[in-house]
Every structure is written in structure tokens, then in C-alpha cells.
Amino acid sequence: MTTSEKYRSDLLIEVIAERLQFDRISEVLPGSVYPPYLLVTIGLFIEYGVFDVYNFVVSGKSSFLSQPNSLAIPAMTIIGVIGLKYIHDSYADAVVNLGIEEENIDIDETIRNEFEGLVSFRLRLLGYVATLLAFYAFSVFVITISELIEISGIGLVLYAQLVDFPLIIVPVLYELGISYLAIHINVPRRIVKADFGLFYYDPENLGGFKPVGQLLKRSYYLYTIILLLWFLQSHTPVLLADFLMSPYPPPGPVFQLALSGVWAVGVLTIAYSMYRTHSIMKQKKDTKLRELKRELKTAVKDPYDATLTNIDDREQYEEAQEMISHVKNTQTYPTTFTMWSQIFLSVLLPQALNMVVQLPS
């Protein structure tokens, strides 16, 4: 096991792919394709490329060929499985880059162990089962199975309800959601407890925290993309009512409220994680600058006499000045205008669309 693997937990979709023998299929294919990619690709193709097309051609039922917005769900799943792998791989790399395994960093073993995986497997498994039960309750009592069969046909409904949703779509999207929350809530708290220092000689001038900042930012972009696809999946028939006839009713006020709630969770979490990360770095930076200020004062006779002859210990003085330069150049994440602009647009776009689109009463 590599150092990074120690802090990277197995995903639900990886466990499912292994149980379904997709790891063995991957081994015989050229390039050793990541098994969950195979599972997701094959599983979605059977639903949308076989059952869905058959229903449309033979039975004349609803299909992505007549309702392209239905492709938002497989798109969300594909992006979700790619995003899941990225989030968990990047988390493990970020923890290692912070120096958790370095000998000169003194971290209590209990605190070090808290970094092993974003969320415990047991908690993820329990949450997955609860989400699956909620999904089936929604299918049975809100949409109703009979209505689903009338719209999509019994073959597609059985495959989707027994294979695609429970084994592919729900585990991917659920775990992506809980992983996102863990990144933005748990990770900053763990960093505070571990009391990591800043690497002031970092050539990127981010104190060694760039992998953490990138993970926070990019995971939020993934969250936004999934939210926008969800919006398009439900609102496209309304936006293009003159061209598309959806068998499902348009989303009502409750749906828009739910969309706003999910958007608000995203905004609050990205604001919290960015603020905590910025605060951690600023506190470390300010503390170091105060220490260097005291060193400068001990290197001169009179701290308030700005003459070269006033310097008692020139070597100490020059070393402190050099270190002050490194500390001042260390930026506190996030800092650049481009980064703030990207985050601002990601925050604004989903809710702006939700507010602008007028649904029929």
C-alpha cells in the first residue's frame, strides 16, 4: 500500500463493480480500464441504448430520442463516477502533500488516523441504504410503478428499478453528495486539529495548501454541474414546450424550493470551507510574522532607529528579512481575481436559472 492509498477509502461503486466481477473484465481488456467506468458504461448503455431505443422503435413509448433531457441522468452518473474518483484520489494526495507522514511533523496518532478516508464505509453504506429506500418510496407512492410502466414499458422499468438505479445511479450520486459534504466540512476541521504548518518555501507561494484549495474549488464545480444537469432534466420540457412533449408533469413550486435548498447547501459549504482554509493559513502566517518581528528587534540596538549602524547581528537580521519575504509572499487561499470570479459564477448560475425560468401554474 502506498502512502496515498492509506488515506483513500474504497468507494461503494468500486465494491459493487468488484462483486459483479468487473475487475476481472477490466484485467483482460487493454489498458486496464477502471472497473466502475466499465460498470457505469455498460449498465447505462443497456438501459438507454437497448431498452430505451427498443421501447421507442417498437412500442412508441417515451425515449431519449424524443426527450433528450432524459440523458441528463446518465450524464450526471458518468460525471459523478469520474468526480468521485477525482475527489477521493485528490483528497489522499492533498493529505500527503500537507506532510502528514513527514517525520518533522508531530501529529498525534489518533488525529492522524482521522484522515484515513473521507467518510467511514459503514456510514456511507447506511446512508446508501436509506437513500435507496427513499428512492423506492418515491417511485411507488409519488410517481407510482403503474405510471412508470405506462410511460416506459415493463422491461425498462424492471431493469432501471432493479439494476441501474440501485447498483449504479443511486450509489454514485449519493456517495458524490456525501463526499462533497465531507470535503467542505470535515477536511478543514481535521486540518485545524492536526495543526499543519505552512511551507513558506513553496514555489507556488501557497504554503503547500494548493492541493487542498484545488480540491475545494473543483469539487464545488462538480456539484454545480450536477445541479445544472438536474435543472435541465426537469426544466427542458418546460423551456422547449413548443418542441417537446413530456409524459411527466412540469416541476412544481416544491421542486423549485428543493433545487434552491440544494443550491443553498452548496453555497454555504463552499463559503465555509474557503473561509476556514483562508483563516487557517492567515493565522499561521500572522503568527510567523510576529515571531520574525521579534527576531528583528533582537538583532538591532534600537528597534526605532532606522540606521545601518544600529544593526547588532547582521546575519540574524538578514536571515529574518529573507524569511519575512517568504512569509509575505505566501498567499492565503483563495486569493486571485480569476478564482473568485469562477467561484462567483458557479454560485450564481444555478439559482439565477431557477429564478428566471417561469413554470406554468
Side-chain angles (χ1 to χ4, degrees):
M1 177 184 291
T2 64
T3 305
S4 292
E5 288 174 343
K6 178 181 177 181
Y7 300 99
R8 204 277 200 187
S9 53
D10 292 335
L11 305 177
L12 291 173
I13 194 67
E14 291 175 342
V15 174
I16 294 170
E18 182 180 354
R19 296 292 174 86
L20 295 177
Q21 305 300 309
F22 277 88
D23 54 335
R24 294 188 178 182
I25 298 173
S26 174
E27 289 174 0
V28 301
L29 292 176
S32 297
V33 181
Y34 180 52
Y37 290 168
L38 280 176
L39 171 60
V40 170
T41 302
I42 294 173
L44 293 176
F45 176 77
I46 292 174
E47 178 174 351
Y48 289 89
V50 178
F51 281 107
D52 193 82
V53 172
Y54 174 84
N55 277 352
F56 181 76
V57 175
V58 177
S59 307
K61 294 185 179 295
S62 177
S63 165
F64 76 87
L65 296 171
S66 58
Q67 299 290 320
N69 61 294
S70 64
L71 289 176
I73 293 177
M76 289 163 66
T77 308
I78 292 169
I79 292 171
V81 72
I82 295 171
L84 260 180
K85 186 176 186 303
Y86 165 77
I87 283 175
H88 284 260
D89 288 348
S90 297
Y91 165 75
D93 290 339
V95 170
V96 173
N97 280 318
L98 285 173
I100 194 168
E101 292 290 335
E102 293 178 11
E103 295 180 357
N104 59 332
I105 295 181
D106 184 22
I107 299 177
D108 185 86
E109 194 62 28
T110 304
I111 296 176
R112 193 192 307 271
N113 292 339
E114 289 183 13
F115 283 88
E116 294 182 8
L118 275 172
V119 186
S120 72
F121 185 79
R122 178 179 295 180
L123 180 60
R124 285 181 285 135
L125 185 59
L126 290 174
Y128 161 63
V129 172
T131 303
L132 201 57
L133 291 174
F135 165 74
Y136 282 130
F138 180 80
S139 299
V140 172
F141 299 110
V142 179
I143 300 179
T144 74
I145 297 297
S146 59
E147 184 178 355
L148 286 172
I149 293 174
E150 177 65 26
I151 293 171
S152 303
I154 189 169
L156 188 146
V157 170
L158 285 175
Y159 177 79
Q161 296 290 323
L162 299 178
V163 179
D164 238 14
F165 274 95
L167 298 180
I168 299 173
I169 297 173
V170 171
V172 167
L173 295 182
Y174 157 74
E175 192 164 22
L176 182 65
I178 197 171
S179 298
Y180 170 83
L181 292 176
I183 284 292
H184 289 268
I185 297 174
N186 291 348
V187 171
R189 292 179 177 180
R190 291 175 183 177
I191 291 174
V192 170
K193 288 179 67 175
D195 196 27
F196 288 108
L198 295 182
F199 176 42
Y200 295 109
Y201 300 101
D202 182 4
E204 294 173 303
N205 291 328
L206 282 167
F209 271 63
K210 183 177 180 179
V212 175
Q214 293 282 59
L215 179 57
L216 297 178
K217 182 180 69 171
R218 290 174 180 172
S219 62
Y220 181 73
Y221 293 164
L222 282 167
Y223 186 90
T224 301
I225 291 169
I226 297 294
L227 192 59
L228 289 173
L229 285 170
W230 183 29
F231 174 88
L232 291 174
Q233 191 269 336
S234 57
H235 285 70
T236 299
V238 178
L239 296 171
L240 303 178
D242 294 337
F243 308 98
L244 299 175
M245 290 294 293
S246 175
Y248 298 98
V254 174
F255 179 88
Q256 286 190 300
L257 185 62
L259 193 68
S260 296
V262 175
W263 169 81
V265 168
V267 173
L268 291 174
T269 49
I270 185 67
Y272 171 81
S273 60
M274 284 293 186
Y275 172 75
R276 286 301 296 270
T277 304
H278 170 81
S279 298
I280 293 166
M281 298 181 73
K282 188 175 186 305
Q283 182 183 20
K284 294 289 182 182
K285 182 176 175 179
D286 290 346
T287 300
K288 188 63 178 177
L289 283 173
R290 285 194 294 270
E291 292 175 1
L292 292 170
K293 182 179 178 181
R294 286 194 292 269
E295 283 190 32
L296 280 177
K297 285 186 175 182
T298 60
V300 297
K301 297 175 184 176
D302 182 356
Y304 307 102
D305 180 10
T307 59
L308 294 177
T309 56
N310 186 46
I311 300 173
D312 271 344
D313 190 332
R314 180 162 294 278
E315 183 178 355
Q316 179 184 347
Y317 174 83
E318 290 177 352
E319 287 177 356
Q321 287 285 20
E322 182 182 355
M323 195 61 212
I324 285 173
S325 176
H326 286 298
V327 175
K328 283 186 173 181
N329 287 335
T330 299
Q331 301 172 350
T332 52
Y333 214 94
T335 53
T336 65
F337 174 78
T338 300
M339 187 180 301
W340 277 118
S341 300
Q342 291 170 349
I343 294 172
F344 177 75
L345 288 174
S346 299
V347 164
L348 182 65
L349 187 57
Q351 186 63 1
L353 288 173
N354 193 34
M355 294 176 65
V356 167
V357 173
Q358 298 295 314
L359 298 177
S361 57

